[in-house]
PDB file of all heavy atoms in Angstrom:
ATOM      1  N   VAL A   1      -3.813   4.873 -30.271  1.00 76.00           N
ATOM      2  CA  VAL A   1      -3.877   4.153 -31.556  1.00 76.00           C
ATOM      3  C   VAL A   1      -2.665   3.256 -31.733  1.00 76.00           C
ATOM      4  O   VAL A   1      -2.682   2.081 -32.200  1.00 76.00           O
ATOM      5  CB  VAL A   1      -3.938   5.085 -32.735  1.00 76.00           C
ATOM      6  CG1 VAL A   1      -3.841   4.344 -34.133  1.00 76.00           C
ATOM      7  CG2 VAL A   1      -5.249   5.843 -32.725  1.00 76.00           C
ATOM      8  N   ASP A   2      -1.393   3.720 -31.287  1.00 77.00           N
ATOM      9  CA  ASP A   2      -0.210   2.949 -31.391  1.00 77.00           C
ATOM     10  C   ASP A   2      -0.317   1.707 -30.467  1.00 77.00           C
ATOM     11  O   ASP A   2       0.150   0.677 -30.827  1.00 77.00           O
ATOM     12  CB  ASP A   2       1.050   3.858 -31.078  1.00 77.00           C
ATOM     13  CG  ASP A   2       1.164   4.975 -31.991  1.00 77.00           C
ATOM     14  OD1 ASP A   2       1.169   4.653 -33.274  1.00 77.00           O
ATOM     15  OD2 ASP A   2       1.423   6.168 -31.664  1.00 77.00           O
ATOM     16  N   LYS A   3      -0.807   2.006 -29.292  1.00 76.00           N
ATOM     17  CA  LYS A   3      -0.939   0.828 -28.315  1.00 76.00           C
ATOM     18  C   LYS A   3      -1.882  -0.245 -28.852  1.00 76.00           C
ATOM     19  O   LYS A   3      -1.566  -1.383 -28.873  1.00 76.00           O
ATOM     20  CB  LYS A   3      -1.403   1.388 -27.009  1.00 76.00           C
ATOM     21  CG  LYS A   3      -0.520   2.384 -26.233  1.00 76.00           C
ATOM     22  CD  LYS A   3      -1.161   2.839 -25.008  1.00 76.00           C
ATOM     23  CE  LYS A   3      -0.281   3.803 -24.229  1.00 76.00           C
ATOM     24  NZ  LYS A   3      -0.985   4.335 -22.968  1.00 76.00           N
ATOM     25  N   ILE A   4      -3.078   0.187 -29.396  1.00 76.00           N
ATOM     26  CA  ILE A   4      -3.986  -0.776 -29.890  1.00 76.00           C
ATOM     27  C   ILE A   4      -3.413  -1.523 -31.053  1.00 76.00           C
ATOM     28  O   ILE A   4      -3.513  -2.726 -31.177  1.00 76.00           O
ATOM     29  CB  ILE A   4      -5.295  -0.019 -30.386  1.00 76.00           C
ATOM     30  CG1 ILE A   4      -5.971   0.475 -29.042  1.00 76.00           C
ATOM     31  CG2 ILE A   4      -6.234  -0.960 -31.089  1.00 76.00           C
ATOM     32  CD1 ILE A   4      -7.229   1.321 -29.380  1.00 76.00           C
ATOM     33  N   LEU A   5      -2.636  -0.852 -32.044  1.00 78.00           N
ATOM     34  CA  LEU A   5      -2.112  -1.466 -33.146  1.00 78.00           C
ATOM     35  C   LEU A   5      -1.051  -2.514 -32.656  1.00 78.00           C
ATOM     36  O   LEU A   5      -1.073  -3.629 -33.183  1.00 78.00           O
ATOM     37  CB  LEU A   5      -1.339  -0.390 -33.984  1.00 78.00           C
ATOM     38  CG  LEU A   5      -0.628  -1.038 -35.244  1.00 78.00           C
ATOM     39  CD1 LEU A   5      -1.548  -1.788 -36.089  1.00 78.00           C
ATOM     40  CD2 LEU A   5       0.155   0.145 -35.946  1.00 78.00           C
ATOM     41  N   GLY A   6      -0.211  -2.179 -31.650  1.00 79.00           N
ATOM     42  CA  GLY A   6       0.729  -3.235 -31.145  1.00 79.00           C
ATOM     43  C   GLY A   6      -0.009  -4.373 -30.603  1.00 79.00           C
ATOM     44  O   GLY A   6       0.369  -5.464 -30.778  1.00 79.00           O
ATOM     45  N   LEU A   7      -1.097  -4.176 -29.851  1.00 76.00           N
ATOM     46  CA  LEU A   7      -1.729  -5.233 -29.232  1.00 76.00           C
ATOM     47  C   LEU A   7      -2.440  -6.062 -30.228  1.00 76.00           C
ATOM     48  O   LEU A   7      -2.483  -7.314 -30.128  1.00 76.00           O
ATOM     49  CB  LEU A   7      -2.736  -4.729 -28.078  1.00 76.00           C
ATOM     50  CG  LEU A   7      -2.109  -4.080 -26.949  1.00 76.00           C
ATOM     51  CD1 LEU A   7      -3.060  -3.339 -26.087  1.00 76.00           C
ATOM     52  CD2 LEU A   7      -1.468  -5.088 -26.080  1.00 76.00           C
ATOM     53  N   GLU A   8      -3.074  -5.417 -31.219  1.00 74.00           N
ATOM     54  CA  GLU A   8      -3.778  -6.211 -32.248  1.00 74.00           C
ATOM     55  C   GLU A   8      -2.775  -7.032 -33.138  1.00 74.00           C
ATOM     56  O   GLU A   8      -3.182  -7.992 -33.641  1.00 74.00           O
ATOM     57  CB  GLU A   8      -4.567  -5.298 -33.113  1.00 74.00           C
ATOM     58  CG  GLU A   8      -5.797  -4.635 -32.362  1.00 74.00           C
ATOM     59  CD  GLU A   8      -6.766  -3.875 -33.227  1.00 74.00           C
ATOM     60  OE1 GLU A   8      -6.312  -3.552 -34.405  1.00 74.00           O
ATOM     61  OE2 GLU A   8      -7.800  -3.569 -32.780  1.00 74.00           O
ATOM     62  N   LEU A   9      -1.568  -6.544 -33.332  1.00 78.00           N
ATOM     63  CA  LEU A   9      -0.678  -7.294 -34.014  1.00 78.00           C
ATOM     64  C   LEU A   9      -0.098  -8.562 -33.270  1.00 78.00           C
ATOM     65  O   LEU A   9       0.527  -9.373 -33.819  1.00 78.00           O
ATOM     66  CB  LEU A   9       0.563  -6.460 -34.425  1.00 78.00           C
ATOM     67  CG  LEU A   9       0.292  -5.451 -35.585  1.00 78.00           C
ATOM     68  CD1 LEU A   9       1.380  -4.508 -35.756  1.00 78.00           C
ATOM     69  CD2 LEU A   9      -0.037  -6.190 -36.912  1.00 78.00           C
ATOM     70  N   GLY A  10      -0.429  -8.570 -32.057  1.00 78.00           N
ATOM     71  CA  GLY A  10       0.001  -9.708 -31.173  1.00 78.00           C
ATOM     72  C   GLY A  10       0.889  -9.498 -29.985  1.00 78.00           C
ATOM     73  O   GLY A  10       1.210 -10.448 -29.300  1.00 78.00           O
ATOM     74  N   SER A  11       1.174  -8.255 -29.779  1.00 84.00           N
ATOM     75  CA  SER A  11       1.947  -7.965 -28.525  1.00 84.00           C
ATOM     76  C   SER A  11       1.098  -8.261 -27.262  1.00 84.00           C
ATOM     77  O   SER A  11      -0.024  -8.062 -27.240  1.00 84.00           O
ATOM     78  CB  SER A  11       2.309  -6.385 -28.534  1.00 84.00           C
ATOM     79  OG  SER A  11       2.753  -5.944 -27.262  1.00 84.00           O
ATOM     80  N   ASP A  12       1.722  -8.832 -26.308  1.00 83.00           N
ATOM     81  CA  ASP A  12       1.064  -9.170 -25.048  1.00 83.00           C
ATOM     82  C   ASP A  12       0.994  -8.061 -24.076  1.00 83.00           C
ATOM     83  O   ASP A  12       0.140  -7.984 -23.218  1.00 83.00           O
ATOM     84  CB  ASP A  12       1.810 -10.362 -24.307  1.00 83.00           C
ATOM     85  CG  ASP A  12       1.796 -11.646 -25.201  1.00 83.00           C
ATOM     86  OD1 ASP A  12       0.782 -12.249 -25.229  1.00 83.00           O
ATOM     87  OD2 ASP A  12       2.797 -11.879 -25.835  1.00 83.00           O
ATOM     88  N   ASP A  13       1.859  -6.977 -24.198  1.00 86.00           N
ATOM     89  CA  ASP A  13       1.792  -5.842 -23.295  1.00 86.00           C
ATOM     90  C   ASP A  13       2.503  -4.713 -24.096  1.00 86.00           C
ATOM     91  O   ASP A  13       3.221  -4.973 -24.978  1.00 86.00           O
ATOM     92  CB  ASP A  13       2.523  -6.252 -21.996  1.00 86.00           C
ATOM     93  CG  ASP A  13       2.026  -5.393 -20.752  1.00 86.00           C
ATOM     94  OD1 ASP A  13       1.466  -4.338 -21.054  1.00 86.00           O
ATOM     95  OD2 ASP A  13       2.403  -5.663 -19.703  1.00 86.00           O
ATOM     96  N   TYR A  14       2.288  -3.503 -23.592  1.00 87.00           N
ATOM     97  CA  TYR A  14       2.838  -2.318 -24.150  1.00 87.00           C
ATOM     98  C   TYR A  14       3.220  -1.321 -23.073  1.00 87.00           C
ATOM     99  O   TYR A  14       2.428  -1.007 -22.230  1.00 87.00           O
ATOM    100  CB  TYR A  14       1.741  -1.609 -25.039  1.00 87.00           C
ATOM    101  CG  TYR A  14       2.217  -0.546 -26.031  1.00 87.00           C
ATOM    102  CD1 TYR A  14       2.332  -0.758 -27.345  1.00 87.00           C
ATOM    103  CD2 TYR A  14       2.531   0.699 -25.473  1.00 87.00           C
ATOM    104  CE1 TYR A  14       2.706   0.255 -28.260  1.00 87.00           C
ATOM    105  CE2 TYR A  14       2.852   1.705 -26.305  1.00 87.00           C
ATOM    106  CZ  TYR A  14       3.029   1.558 -27.691  1.00 87.00           C
ATOM    107  OH  TYR A  14       3.385   2.491 -28.569  1.00 87.00           O
ATOM    108  N   LEU A  15       4.415  -0.950 -23.085  1.00 89.00           N
ATOM    109  CA  LEU A  15       5.071  -0.080 -22.018  1.00 89.00           C
ATOM    110  C   LEU A  15       5.632   1.221 -22.733  1.00 89.00           C
ATOM    111  O   LEU A  15       6.362   1.098 -23.596  1.00 89.00           O
ATOM    112  CB  LEU A  15       6.103  -0.694 -21.190  1.00 89.00           C
ATOM    113  CG  LEU A  15       6.471  -0.183 -19.835  1.00 89.00           C
ATOM    114  CD1 LEU A  15       5.244  -0.119 -18.915  1.00 89.00           C
ATOM    115  CD2 LEU A  15       7.491  -1.064 -19.149  1.00 89.00           C
ATOM    116  N   VAL A  16       5.201   2.429 -22.179  1.00 89.00           N
ATOM    117  CA  VAL A  16       5.573   3.643 -22.822  1.00 89.00           C
ATOM    118  C   VAL A  16       6.930   4.191 -22.074  1.00 89.00           C
ATOM    119  O   VAL A  16       7.040   4.126 -20.891  1.00 89.00           O
ATOM    120  CB  VAL A  16       4.534   4.677 -22.622  1.00 89.00           C
ATOM    121  CG1 VAL A  16       5.045   6.061 -23.213  1.00 89.00           C
ATOM    122  CG2 VAL A  16       3.271   4.277 -23.329  1.00 89.00           C
ATOM    123  N   LYS A  17       7.898   4.674 -22.953  1.00 88.00           N
ATOM    124  CA  LYS A  17       9.096   5.201 -22.392  1.00 88.00           C
ATOM    125  C   LYS A  17       8.756   6.684 -22.039  1.00 88.00           C
ATOM    126  O   LYS A  17       8.036   7.378 -22.636  1.00 88.00           O
ATOM    127  CB  LYS A  17      10.165   5.207 -23.474  1.00 88.00           C
ATOM    128  CG  LYS A  17      10.641   3.884 -24.009  1.00 88.00           C
ATOM    129  CD  LYS A  17      11.685   4.050 -25.133  1.00 88.00           C
ATOM    130  CE  LYS A  17      12.100   2.827 -25.783  1.00 88.00           C
ATOM    131  NZ  LYS A  17      13.090   2.990 -26.805  1.00 88.00           N
ATOM    132  N   PRO A  18       9.548   7.138 -20.920  1.00 88.00           N
ATOM    133  CA  PRO A  18      10.412   6.443 -20.071  1.00 88.00           C
ATOM    134  C   PRO A  18       9.558   5.571 -19.103  1.00 88.00           C
ATOM    135  O   PRO A  18       8.457   5.962 -18.681  1.00 88.00           O
ATOM    136  CB  PRO A  18      11.038   7.601 -19.412  1.00 88.00           C
ATOM    137  CG  PRO A  18      10.113   8.650 -19.299  1.00 88.00           C
ATOM    138  CD  PRO A  18       9.365   8.562 -20.619  1.00 88.00           C
ATOM    139  N   PHE A  19      10.127   4.435 -18.706  1.00 89.00           N
ATOM    140  CA  PHE A  19       9.425   3.462 -17.841  1.00 89.00           C
ATOM    141  C   PHE A  19      10.375   3.051 -16.737  1.00 89.00           C
ATOM    142  O   PHE A  19      11.651   3.229 -16.850  1.00 89.00           O
ATOM    143  CB  PHE A  19       9.004   2.339 -18.657  1.00 89.00           C
ATOM    144  CG  PHE A  19      10.105   1.532 -19.404  1.00 89.00           C
ATOM    145  CD1 PHE A  19      10.965   0.732 -18.782  1.00 89.00           C
ATOM    146  CD2 PHE A  19      10.212   1.803 -20.725  1.00 89.00           C
ATOM    147  CE1 PHE A  19      11.894   0.006 -19.471  1.00 89.00           C
ATOM    148  CE2 PHE A  19      11.271   1.160 -21.423  1.00 89.00           C
ATOM    149  CZ  PHE A  19      12.075   0.254 -20.825  1.00 89.00           C
ATOM    150  N   SER A  20       9.780   2.554 -15.675  1.00 91.00           N
ATOM    151  CA  SER A  20      10.561   1.945 -14.592  1.00 91.00           C
ATOM    152  C   SER A  20      11.092   0.640 -14.928  1.00 91.00           C
ATOM    153  O   SER A  20      10.276  -0.279 -15.331  1.00 91.00           O
ATOM    154  CB  SER A  20       9.720   1.892 -13.329  1.00 91.00           C
ATOM    155  OG  SER A  20      10.318   1.067 -12.355  1.00 91.00           O
ATOM    156  N   PRO A  21      12.372   0.356 -14.888  1.00 91.00           N
ATOM    157  CA  PRO A  21      12.921  -1.004 -15.197  1.00 91.00           C
ATOM    158  C   PRO A  21      12.267  -1.991 -14.250  1.00 91.00           C
ATOM    159  O   PRO A  21      12.041  -3.175 -14.711  1.00 91.00           O
ATOM    160  CB  PRO A  21      14.379  -0.856 -14.946  1.00 91.00           C
ATOM    161  CG  PRO A  21      14.715   0.539 -15.202  1.00 91.00           C
ATOM    162  CD  PRO A  21      13.506   1.293 -14.684  1.00 91.00           C
ATOM    163  N   ARG A  22      11.929  -1.636 -12.995  1.00 91.00           N
ATOM    164  CA  ARG A  22      11.309  -2.638 -12.069  1.00 91.00           C
ATOM    165  C   ARG A  22       9.981  -2.917 -12.534  1.00 91.00           C
ATOM    166  O   ARG A  22       9.490  -4.112 -12.439  1.00 91.00           O
ATOM    167  CB  ARG A  22      11.328  -2.008 -10.705  1.00 91.00           C
ATOM    168  CG  ARG A  22      12.693  -1.915 -10.044  1.00 91.00           C
ATOM    169  CD  ARG A  22      12.481  -1.524  -8.585  1.00 91.00           C
ATOM    170  NE  ARG A  22      13.835  -1.384  -7.846  1.00 91.00           N
ATOM    171  CZ  ARG A  22      14.588  -0.378  -7.924  1.00 91.00           C
ATOM    172  NH1 ARG A  22      14.316   0.709  -8.535  1.00 91.00           N
ATOM    173  NH2 ARG A  22      15.804  -0.438  -7.294  1.00 91.00           N
ATOM    174  N   GLU A  23       9.228  -1.925 -13.160  1.00 92.00           N
ATOM    175  CA  GLU A  23       7.888  -2.298 -13.653  1.00 92.00           C
ATOM    176  C   GLU A  23       8.010  -3.180 -14.808  1.00 92.00           C
ATOM    177  O   GLU A  23       7.163  -4.123 -14.962  1.00 92.00           O
ATOM    178  CB  GLU A  23       7.165  -1.044 -14.070  1.00 92.00           C
ATOM    179  CG  GLU A  23       5.771  -1.148 -14.620  1.00 92.00           C
ATOM    180  CD  GLU A  23       5.060   0.017 -15.068  1.00 92.00           C
ATOM    181  OE1 GLU A  23       5.606   1.108 -14.900  1.00 92.00           O
ATOM    182  OE2 GLU A  23       3.939  -0.168 -15.660  1.00 92.00           O
ATOM    183  N   LEU A  24       8.978  -2.950 -15.668  1.00 93.00           N
ATOM    184  CA  LEU A  24       9.127  -3.809 -16.894  1.00 93.00           C
ATOM    185  C   LEU A  24       9.416  -5.277 -16.402  1.00 93.00           C
ATOM    186  O   LEU A  24       8.876  -6.220 -16.925  1.00 93.00           O
ATOM    187  CB  LEU A  24      10.297  -3.363 -17.739  1.00 93.00           C
ATOM    188  CG  LEU A  24      10.628  -4.237 -19.014  1.00 93.00           C
ATOM    189  CD1 LEU A  24       9.458  -4.417 -19.842  1.00 93.00           C
ATOM    190  CD2 LEU A  24      11.788  -3.621 -19.725  1.00 93.00           C
ATOM    191  N   VAL A  25      10.298  -5.391 -15.401  1.00 92.00           N
ATOM    192  CA  VAL A  25      10.640  -6.748 -14.898  1.00 92.00           C
ATOM    193  C   VAL A  25       9.341  -7.395 -14.350  1.00 92.00           C
ATOM    194  O   VAL A  25       9.101  -8.647 -14.546  1.00 92.00           O
ATOM    195  CB  VAL A  25      11.713  -6.716 -13.778  1.00 92.00           C
ATOM    196  CG1 VAL A  25      11.852  -8.018 -13.115  1.00 92.00           C
ATOM    197  CG2 VAL A  25      13.049  -6.190 -14.499  1.00 92.00           C
ATOM    198  N   ALA A  26       8.551  -6.733 -13.561  1.00 90.00           N
ATOM    199  CA  ALA A  26       7.331  -7.214 -13.044  1.00 90.00           C
ATOM    200  C   ALA A  26       6.319  -7.684 -14.083  1.00 90.00           C
ATOM    201  O   ALA A  26       5.723  -8.766 -14.056  1.00 90.00           O
ATOM    202  CB  ALA A  26       6.597  -6.199 -12.160  1.00 90.00           C
ATOM    203  N   ARG A  27       6.240  -6.917 -15.205  1.00 89.00           N
ATOM    204  CA  ARG A  27       5.404  -7.209 -16.294  1.00 89.00           C
ATOM    205  C   ARG A  27       6.003  -8.438 -17.025  1.00 89.00           C
ATOM    206  O   ARG A  27       5.199  -9.343 -17.520  1.00 89.00           O
ATOM    207  CB  ARG A  27       5.282  -6.039 -17.295  1.00 89.00           C
ATOM    208  CG  ARG A  27       4.467  -4.843 -16.771  1.00 89.00           C
ATOM    209  CD  ARG A  27       4.185  -3.937 -17.781  1.00 89.00           C
ATOM    210  NE  ARG A  27       3.498  -2.718 -17.209  1.00 89.00           N
ATOM    211  CZ  ARG A  27       2.576  -2.017 -17.815  1.00 89.00           C
ATOM    212  NH1 ARG A  27       2.312  -2.299 -19.144  1.00 89.00           N
ATOM    213  NH2 ARG A  27       2.009  -0.957 -17.331  1.00 89.00           N
ATOM    214  N   ILE A  28       7.268  -8.589 -17.220  1.00 91.00           N
ATOM    215  CA  ILE A  28       7.868  -9.774 -17.804  1.00 91.00           C
ATOM    216  C   ILE A  28       7.584 -10.984 -16.997  1.00 91.00           C
ATOM    217  O   ILE A  28       7.264 -12.012 -17.526  1.00 91.00           O
ATOM    218  CB  ILE A  28       9.364  -9.518 -17.964  1.00 91.00           C
ATOM    219  CG1 ILE A  28       9.691  -8.558 -19.071  1.00 91.00           C
ATOM    220  CG2 ILE A  28      10.211 -10.872 -18.212  1.00 91.00           C
ATOM    221  CD1 ILE A  28      11.172  -8.079 -19.097  1.00 91.00           C
ATOM    222  N   ARG A  29       7.707 -10.802 -15.674  1.00 88.00           N
ATOM    223  CA  ARG A  29       7.450 -12.058 -14.830  1.00 88.00           C
ATOM    224  C   ARG A  29       5.942 -12.458 -15.024  1.00 88.00           C
ATOM    225  O   ARG A  29       5.672 -13.632 -15.067  1.00 88.00           O
ATOM    226  CB  ARG A  29       7.754 -11.626 -13.394  1.00 88.00           C
ATOM    227  CG  ARG A  29       7.553 -12.794 -12.419  1.00 88.00           C
ATOM    228  CD  ARG A  29       7.824 -12.389 -10.944  1.00 88.00           C
ATOM    229  NE  ARG A  29       9.262 -11.947 -10.845  1.00 88.00           N
ATOM    230  CZ  ARG A  29       9.632 -10.669 -10.497  1.00 88.00           C
ATOM    231  NH1 ARG A  29       8.640  -9.734 -10.400  1.00 88.00           N
ATOM    232  NH2 ARG A  29      10.848 -10.311 -10.444  1.00 88.00           N
ATOM    233  N   ARG A  30       5.009 -11.466 -15.040  1.00 85.00           N
ATOM    234  CA  ARG A  30       3.685 -11.811 -15.215  1.00 85.00           C
ATOM    235  C   ARG A  30       3.308 -12.516 -16.465  1.00 85.00           C
ATOM    236  O   ARG A  30       2.657 -13.551 -16.565  1.00 85.00           O
ATOM    237  CB  ARG A  30       2.810 -10.500 -15.148  1.00 85.00           C
ATOM    238  CG  ARG A  30       1.332 -10.810 -15.166  1.00 85.00           C
ATOM    239  CD  ARG A  30       0.460  -9.559 -15.095  1.00 85.00           C
ATOM    240  NE  ARG A  30       0.681  -8.771 -16.310  1.00 85.00           N
ATOM    241  CZ  ARG A  30       0.098  -7.615 -16.508  1.00 85.00           C
ATOM    242  NH1 ARG A  30      -0.699  -7.113 -15.550  1.00 85.00           N
ATOM    243  NH2 ARG A  30       0.237  -6.866 -17.601  1.00 85.00           N
ATOM    244  N   GLN A  31       4.012 -12.041 -17.616  1.00 84.00           N
ATOM    245  CA  GLN A  31       3.753 -12.662 -18.917  1.00 84.00           C
ATOM    246  C   GLN A  31       4.354 -14.104 -18.881  1.00 84.00           C
ATOM    247  O   GLN A  31       3.684 -14.989 -19.516  1.00 84.00           O
ATOM    248  CB  GLN A  31       4.380 -11.835 -19.999  1.00 84.00           C
ATOM    249  CG  GLN A  31       3.738 -10.451 -20.307  1.00 84.00           C
ATOM    250  CD  GLN A  31       2.244 -10.557 -20.684  1.00 84.00           C
ATOM    251  OE1 GLN A  31       1.847 -11.672 -21.308  1.00 84.00           O
ATOM    252  NE2 GLN A  31       1.417  -9.744 -20.305  1.00 84.00           N
ATOM    253  N   LEU A  32       5.484 -14.298 -18.380  1.00 85.00           N
ATOM    254  CA  LEU A  32       6.114 -15.614 -18.319  1.00 85.00           C
ATOM    255  C   LEU A  32       5.246 -16.587 -17.509  1.00 85.00           C
ATOM    256  O   LEU A  32       5.103 -17.773 -17.783  1.00 85.00           O
ATOM    257  CB  LEU A  32       7.514 -15.522 -17.822  1.00 85.00           C
ATOM    258  CG  LEU A  32       8.509 -14.976 -18.802  1.00 85.00           C
ATOM    259  CD1 LEU A  32       9.846 -14.693 -18.161  1.00 85.00           C
ATOM    260  CD2 LEU A  32       8.711 -15.829 -20.043  1.00 85.00           C
ATOM    261  N   GLN A  33       4.689 -16.024 -16.362  1.00 80.00           N
ATOM    262  CA  GLN A  33       3.862 -16.966 -15.590  1.00 80.00           C
ATOM    263  C   GLN A  33       2.585 -17.322 -16.348  1.00 80.00           C
ATOM    264  O   GLN A  33       2.135 -18.517 -16.271  1.00 80.00           O
ATOM    265  CB  GLN A  33       3.405 -16.157 -14.263  1.00 80.00           C
ATOM    266  CG  GLN A  33       4.468 -16.105 -13.239  1.00 80.00           C
ATOM    267  CD  GLN A  33       4.135 -15.188 -12.058  1.00 80.00           C
ATOM    268  OE1 GLN A  33       3.264 -14.334 -12.204  1.00 80.00           O
ATOM    269  NE2 GLN A  33       4.916 -15.248 -11.016  1.00 80.00           N
ATOM    270  N   ARG A  34       2.034 -16.410 -17.148  1.00 76.00           N
ATOM    271  CA  ARG A  34       0.938 -16.757 -17.951  1.00 76.00           C
ATOM    272  C   ARG A  34       1.236 -17.683 -19.035  1.00 76.00           C
ATOM    273  O   ARG A  34       0.574 -18.740 -19.256  1.00 76.00           O
ATOM    274  CB  ARG A  34       0.312 -15.384 -18.629  1.00 76.00           C
ATOM    275  CG  ARG A  34      -0.807 -15.733 -19.565  1.00 76.00           C
ATOM    276  CD  ARG A  34      -1.263 -14.388 -20.192  1.00 76.00           C
ATOM    277  NE  ARG A  34      -1.778 -13.485 -19.255  1.00 76.00           N
ATOM    278  CZ  ARG A  34      -1.732 -12.151 -19.397  1.00 76.00           C
ATOM    279  NH1 ARG A  34      -1.154 -11.568 -20.347  1.00 76.00           N
ATOM    280  NH2 ARG A  34      -2.284 -11.352 -18.527  1.00 76.00           N
ATOM    281  N   TRP A  35       2.343 -17.518 -19.601  1.00 74.00           N
ATOM    282  CA  TRP A  35       2.832 -18.443 -20.695  1.00 74.00           C
ATOM    283  C   TRP A  35       3.060 -19.823 -20.154  1.00 74.00           C
ATOM    284  O   TRP A  35       2.738 -20.784 -20.746  1.00 74.00           O
ATOM    285  CB  TRP A  35       4.080 -17.858 -21.337  1.00 74.00           C
ATOM    286  CG  TRP A  35       4.788 -18.820 -22.364  1.00 74.00           C
ATOM    287  CD1 TRP A  35       5.936 -19.441 -22.152  1.00 74.00           C
ATOM    288  CD2 TRP A  35       4.325 -19.092 -23.647  1.00 74.00           C
ATOM    289  NE1 TRP A  35       6.188 -20.252 -23.256  1.00 74.00           N
ATOM    290  CE2 TRP A  35       5.231 -19.959 -24.154  1.00 74.00           C
ATOM    291  CE3 TRP A  35       3.163 -18.715 -24.335  1.00 74.00           C
ATOM    292  CZ2 TRP A  35       5.027 -20.495 -25.472  1.00 74.00           C
ATOM    293  CZ3 TRP A  35       3.036 -19.344 -25.614  1.00 74.00           C
ATOM    294  CH2 TRP A  35       3.951 -20.101 -26.129  1.00 74.00           C
ATOM    295  N   TYR A  36       3.738 -19.818 -18.912  1.00 66.00           N
ATOM    296  CA  TYR A  36       3.997 -21.081 -18.281  1.00 66.00           C
ATOM    297  C   TYR A  36       2.771 -21.887 -17.988  1.00 66.00           C
ATOM    298  O   TYR A  36       2.739 -23.139 -18.165  1.00 66.00           O
ATOM    299  CB  TYR A  36       4.715 -20.819 -16.910  1.00 66.00           C
ATOM    300  CG  TYR A  36       5.213 -21.980 -16.127  1.00 66.00           C
ATOM    301  CD1 TYR A  36       6.349 -22.697 -16.581  1.00 66.00           C
ATOM    302  CD2 TYR A  36       4.612 -22.349 -14.932  1.00 66.00           C
ATOM    303  CE1 TYR A  36       6.837 -23.723 -15.839  1.00 66.00           C
ATOM    304  CE2 TYR A  36       5.057 -23.381 -14.161  1.00 66.00           C
ATOM    305  CZ  TYR A  36       6.229 -24.077 -14.610  1.00 66.00           C
ATOM    306  OH  TYR A  36       6.730 -25.161 -13.870  1.00 66.00           O
ATOM    307  N   LYS A  37       1.686 -21.279 -17.642  1.00 63.00           N
ATOM    308  CA  LYS A  37       0.454 -21.812 -17.350  1.00 63.00           C
ATOM    309  C   LYS A  37      -0.220 -22.312 -18.726  1.00 63.00           C
ATOM    310  O   LYS A  37      -0.774 -23.401 -18.760  1.00 63.00           O
ATOM    311  CB  LYS A  37      -0.482 -20.853 -16.585  1.00 63.00           C
ATOM    312  CG  LYS A  37      -1.904 -21.496 -16.305  1.00 63.00           C
ATOM    313  CD  LYS A  37      -2.713 -20.531 -15.552  1.00 63.00           C
ATOM    314  CE  LYS A  37      -4.044 -21.070 -15.240  1.00 63.00           C
ATOM    315  NZ  LYS A  37      -4.920 -20.121 -14.472  1.00 63.00           N
TER     316      LYS A  37
END
């Protein structure tokens, strides 16, 4: 429910703690590539 709420409010992605910083960086790169396009 929390994930869906975040996404419906406009978040592009949702990552649960604890998370891998490398995974976060990969997701950031993907979102910026999408935004760039």
Side-chain angles (χ1 to χ4, degrees):
V1 173
D2 295 311
K3 294 179 184 179
I4 291 174
L5 177 58
L7 292 167
E8 289 186 349
L9 286 172
S11 165
D12 297 283
D13 204 346
Y14 189 108
L15 197 58
V16 177
K17 298 178 182 179
F19 54 82
S20 163
R22 290 186 177 87
E23 180 183 356
L24 176 60
V25 170
R27 292 189 183 213
I28 286 170
R29 185 181 298 113
R30 183 181 68 181
Q31 292 299 331
L32 287 172
Q33 287 171 341
R34 177 185 293 150
W35 173 253
Y36 185 72
K37 180 179 179 180

